[in-house]
Each structure stands twice: as C-alpha cells, then as structure tokens.
Amino acid sequence: MPGVDLHIHSNFSDGELSPAEIAEEIKKAGITAFSVTDHDTIKGLSEAEKAAERLGLEFVPGVEISIYFDNASFHILAYYFEQTERFCSLLEELTQKRLIRAEKMIARINRLGYKLDIEDILKTGSRGSIGRQNIAQTMVKKGLSESTSALFQGLLRKGGPAYIPNPTIDPKTLFDEIHIAGGVAVLAHPGSTRHDEKIAGFAKAGLDGIEAYYCKHIKPQVAFYEKLARKYNLITTGGSDFHGKGRYPSKLGQFRVDYSILASLKERKKVIDEKRSKVAKPLIKKG
Ligand code: AMP
Ligand code: FE
Ligand code: FE
Ligand code: ZN
C-alpha cells in the first residue's frame, strides 16, 4: 500500500537514522511522500531533500517545535515553510537554548553523583538539536543507567530531579512566524499531549491542523480528533513519529497514512500563501 509519513525524526535531533537513510527506508517501504520533522531544527532537511530527489520520492519540509504553555508541553509541526532568514534564526535560537538547557540538566545530573560531560553527548549524539533522548542514550552508553526508559521514568521525567522544560515561544507568535514563512502549523500527537481543552484557543490563534492520525492513537481518538478538526476548521494530518529501534513503530512503513492528507495540507498552504501575498503587497494610494 503506498502512503505518506509526515512525522519522522533523524539523527539531527533524537532519531537514529540519517535523513538519507530515512529516504532509503521510505523507498523500501513503498511510501511515496515523507517529511523529516526534527525537534526545533531544520538542519537535516537539505540531506533529506537531496536523497528524496535521487530516489524519486516526494519530500515535504518539516520541523517539530516544542512549546510550553500554561504548565503543559505541546509540539507544533510546521510544514512547507520557506527557509527564510527570519524562520531559520528563530529555530537557531531555540536550538541554542536547548544546548544551554542540556548543560543545566547535566549539571543537575552530576550533582546527583553521576559523571557526565556535554562533550560526551556532542560527540555521540545529535547533529543538530539536543534533547532528553540524546542525554538518556549517552548515559546508557556510558553504563550510567540500564535503559533510556528507566531514565524517562526517573531522572529525566517531567518534574524529575534533572528535568528542565524546553525553551518556549508563545503559541500565537509561533503560528504567526510559521505563516510568515509560508508554513502550515499542526498540533502533533494530541492524544499523547492530553490537553484537548487548549485546541479551541490554538485554532483561534492560527493553528491550521491536528495530527489525528498518529501511531499511538486508537480508533476512537482518531474519530474524536477528526470531529474536533471539523468543528474548528482544521485540517488533519498524520505520521509515525519514527525515532528508530526501541519503540513502536520500530521500522518505517509500519505506520503510514493516506496520500489524500497531503492534498489538504497543500490546500491549506495555498490559503496561507494567498493571505501572505496580500499582506506583503503595499496598498497603492490614488492621486
Ligand atoms: P525533550 O524535547 O528534550 O523534552 O525530549 C522529548 C523527546 O523525548 C520526545 O520527543 C521523545 O522523542 C522522547 N521521549 C519522551 N518520553 C520518552 C520515553 N518515555 N522514552 C523514550 N523517549 C521518550
Ligand atoms: Fe523525539
Ligand atoms: Fe513530539
Ligand atoms: Zn516527534
């Protein structure tokens, strides 16, 4: 069955495969279009795009941006943005702040008696942005913990002794920035985020879609988010959130969505571009 996958992590954040390897696996799985959506960074997109072109695959530029709002974390997927200087520098700032956050988390970890250096993570980990998964994997490699899941349940869990929230940006500002870059803003994995009460406000602030078709959503959740999307005039998208071995889906192709979702994503992009071109054109005064 062909299909698309609009949510994949590469080794430019906390995924296992390089963008080129992802493209190879997508091709093998018979998927025809895919996106790479690393955490707060678009540094892996050019490699993915080149590999997609070589393999005859359709590529959708993407990124997954973390925000912290009203004491809850949300992940916003952006698609089809242009890599404008303004959008790139926003992401660069978030990546830099993630690095500072990682240093602070490591300082906390060391205060608890471990021996960990940011260099250990930079050497073996991500080629782009750093997150808890990179810290967890390095700790396991160094024999400081038996598993990453033990760390995500202990030290690194939200509210845990080494946890520090991600850098954030106000949701409305983020939606505006995505639109200014010509991108489409989608709320990732709402079923895992569990703050459905925020969706109405996000829609009012400019959110374009929700990821109704997510690898962990059960059928009633999909139906629920499809209904919410209709209510707030949002599109629905989907993806596997593939990171690599160790959690479902452990292989690309195990979860895919219908190609038709790409049509509504492109339709939304067109609306955003039309609005953008109107804003950009100065009014011609008569006389
Ligand atoms: P961060 O953005 O640094 O707070 O890290 C969040 C990322 O860590 C998520 O996007 C997941 O990829 C990963 N993650 C979260 N919870 C777990 C878990 N229980 N086990 C493994 N990875 C996790
Ligand atoms: Fe992740
Ligand atoms: Fe996410
Ligand atoms: Zn993700």
Side-chain angles (χ1 to χ4, degrees), residues 7 22 60 64 70 108 154 167 169 197 205 231 264 269 278:
H7 192 157
I22 287 171
V60 180
E64 183 178 27
D70 266 4
R108 285 193 182 187
I169 168 169
E197 78 284 358
K231 183 170 175 188
S264 54
K269 154 89 175 145
K278 274 183 204 147

Side-chain angles (χ1 to χ4, degrees), residues 7-9 13-14 37-39 64 75 77 188-189 211 214 240-243 247:
H7 192 157
I8 301 172
H9 292 271
S13 63
D14 53 4
T37 51
D38 279 313
H39 296 291
E64 183 178 27
H75 290 177
L77 293 157
H189 43 65
E211 194 179 40
Y214 184 65
S240 66
D241 207 359
F242 172 81
H243 281 73
R247 60 171 139 155

Side-chain angles (χ1 to χ4, degrees), residues 5 215 240-245 247-255:
D5 187 346
C215 63
S240 66
D241 207 359
F242 172 81
H243 281 73
K245 299 191 285 283
R247 60 171 139 155
Y248 174 79
S250 58
K251 233 174 123 44
L252 282 164
Q254 277 174 347
F255 183 91

Side-chain angles (χ1 to χ4, degrees), residues 14-186:
D14 53 4
E16 195 180 292
L17 303 183
S18 70
E21 287 166 338
I22 287 171
E24 302 275 354
E25 292 302 312
I26 285 286
K27 178 82 180 178
K28 276 190 221 156
I31 291 175
T32 49
F34 74 106
S35 184
V36 167
T37 51
D38 279 313
H39 296 291
D40 295 348
T41 184
I42 52 174
K43 292 204 175 100
L45 296 189
S46 61
E47 183 183 319
E49 194 172 6
K50 272 185 215 133
E53 206 176 300
R54 183 167 45 82
L55 297 166
L57 298 165
E58 185 173 348
F59 181 66
V60 180
V63 63
E64 183 178 27
I65 301 169
S66 297
I67 55 172
Y68 200 73
F69 177 67
D70 266 4
N71 289 319
S73 333
F74 299 89
H75 290 177
I76 305 297
L77 293 157
Y79 296 111
Y80 286 127
F81 45 81
E82 283 162 30
Q83 295 190 23
T84 60
E85 216 180 300
R86 180 169 170 159
F87 196 57
C88 291
S89 70
L90 168 74
L91 294 172
E92 192 51 46
E93 193 185 322
L94 292 175
T95 308
Q96 283 303 321
K97 285 185 178 161
R98 265 183 179 268
L99 183 62
I100 296 165
R101 169 203 188 219
E103 283 169 341
K104 285 186 184 158
M105 286 177 71
I106 290 163
R108 285 193 182 187
I109 291 167
N110 287 337
R111 255 181 261 134
L112 292 163
Y114 297 87
K115 262 190 121 37
L116 194 61
D117 197 308
I118 187 80
E119 291 302 322
D120 298 333
I121 290 147
L122 295 177
K123 257 189 288 180
T124 56
S126 162
R127 301 156 74 190
S129 69
I130 294 181
R132 282 183 286 162
Q133 179 88 313
N134 306 114
I135 298 177
Q137 278 168 350
T138 307
M139 287 183 78
V140 172
K141 260 187 217 152
K142 291 193 72 158
L144 299 175
S145 175
E146 61 187 35
S147 69
T148 55
S149 54
L151 288 164
F152 271 101
Q153 276 161 31
L155 272 187
L156 298 176
R157 73 173 193 281
K158 195 182 162 196
Y163 179 78
I164 293 174
N166 265 316
T168 192
I169 168 169
D170 162 70
K172 165 123 182 40
T173 310
L174 176 61
F175 304 147
D176 287 348
E177 290 297 334
I178 292 171
H179 292 156
I180 291 167
V184 184
V186 175

